[in-house]
Amino acid sequence: SAAFEEYGVSGPSGCKIILKKLRAEIYTKDAPSKQRMLLAGNTIPKQFMKGLTKAISADPHNKGFSIFGISPLKHIESVALADGFIIDQNVDIDLINSNLLSEACSARLIGGPGWTDEERKEALLRWLKEAEVKPRAAVEAGAGHYNGNLARAALMCYNALDATRDPRSDSRLMRSLYQGQMGDPMKMIENAN
């Protein structure tokens, strides 16, 4: 985790750094192609998509009505609808009960079982700001087209990785594997292709 912290990529606030690095991919002059909106081809490295699929499927809250779960894209689209609803309806995050807050964070791969409600609220508010509020303002200010699917996929990948670094995580194996891979995080991303 020290290598990520060196780049300012640590904890829930690290999502800003990830989105800043991907800004040219997330905001484009021309509307994103259907392939890019569907996160197909080489939009996201296959290893990241496989990991995201497994992380989404591992959580019982994210399976929907299917015993097999849902695709990452469908899951991301559902989260985007929920994000829009929360912002459009001006939902007060402080009034969300603990179970719903846990489900909302789980859907975004935020945190883990050891997180407090306050940590979840802070992380969910940060997510909404980065995935919904700032992009709306940026597009309105002329930043171009926003690929919310790509932004949310990147945030979910980051959240899944960040959760493995949390000492309260229920996965010692994942933390051990992660710590064994601690090197330059930018090289890890480059080598994922």
Side-chain angles (χ1 to χ4, degrees), residues 135-154:
R136 286 182 184 193
V139 168
E140 197 171 294
H145 297 272
Y146 172 65
N147 186 341
N149 291 346
L150 178 57
R152 285 179 178 84

Side-chain angles (χ1 to χ4, degrees), residues 53-107:
T53 301
K54 288 180 181 182
I56 291 168
S57 298
D59 189 331
H61 294 298
N62 295 331
K63 288 193 186 288
F65 295 107
S66 168
I67 60 170
F68 302 108
I70 58 175
S71 76
L73 181 62
K74 289 291 181 198
H75 181 77
I76 289 166
E77 289 171 343
S78 295
V79 168
L81 287 172
D83 290 349
F85 177 83
I86 291 168
I87 297 302
D88 292 341
Q89 298 302 313
N90 202 22
V91 173
D92 186 348
I93 302 300
D94 287 328
L95 299 179
I96 297 176
N97 75 42
S98 188
N99 288 337
L100 289 177
L101 183 62
S102 179
E103 284 183 35
C105 288
S106 180

Side-chain angles (χ1 to χ4, degrees), residues 65-191:
F65 295 107
S66 168
I67 60 170
F68 302 108
I70 58 175
S71 76
L73 181 62
K74 289 291 181 198
H75 181 77
I76 289 166
E77 289 171 343
S78 295
V79 168
L81 287 172
D83 290 349
F85 177 83
I86 291 168
I87 297 302
D88 292 341
Q89 298 302 313
N90 202 22
V91 173
D92 186 348
I93 302 300
D94 287 328
L95 299 179
I96 297 176
N97 75 42
S98 188
N99 288 337
L100 289 177
L101 183 62
S102 179
E103 284 183 35
C105 288
S106 180
R108 292 156 182 83
L109 304 181
I110 294 172
W115 278 40
T116 65
D117 282 353
E118 288 309 310
E119 288 173 303
R120 286 187 175 108
K121 287 175 187 176
E122 179 184 334
L124 181 57
L125 285 169
R126 185 171 285 116
W127 169 284
L128 291 168
K129 181 179 178 180
E130 297 298 331
E132 194 70 24
V133 176
K134 280 185 174 180
R136 286 182 184 193
V139 168
E140 197 171 294
H145 297 272
Y146 172 65
N147 186 341
N149 291 346
L150 178 57
R152 285 179 178 84
L155 289 172
M156 285 182 189
C157 286
Y158 172 75
N159 288 340
L161 173 65
D162 192 53
T164 64
R165 296 185 288 170
D166 189 331
R168 298 168 293 177
S169 171
D170 57 356
S171 177
R172 288 185 185 95
L173 174 62
M174 288 305 295
R175 276 197 315 280
S176 298
L177 290 172
Y178 171 76
Q179 290 170 353
Q181 298 295 317
M182 287 178 52
D184 184 336
M186 297 309 151
K187 285 187 179 167
M188 288 171 48
I189 292 170
E190 290 168 7
N191 292 334

Side-chain angles (χ1 to χ4, degrees), residues 24-67:
E25 300 292 323
I26 293 171
Y27 294 96
T28 55
K29 180 182 162 198
D30 298 320
S33 67
K34 183 175 181 180
Q35 181 179 15
R36 291 192 64 74
M37 288 301 293
L38 294 175
L39 306 176
N42 64 354
T43 302
I44 295 180
K46 285 183 175 63
Q47 298 90 331
F48 283 30
M49 286 305 288
K50 285 180 184 178
L52 185 57
T53 301
K54 288 180 181 182
I56 291 168
S57 298
D59 189 331
H61 294 298
N62 295 331
K63 288 193 186 288
F65 295 107
S66 168
I67 60 170

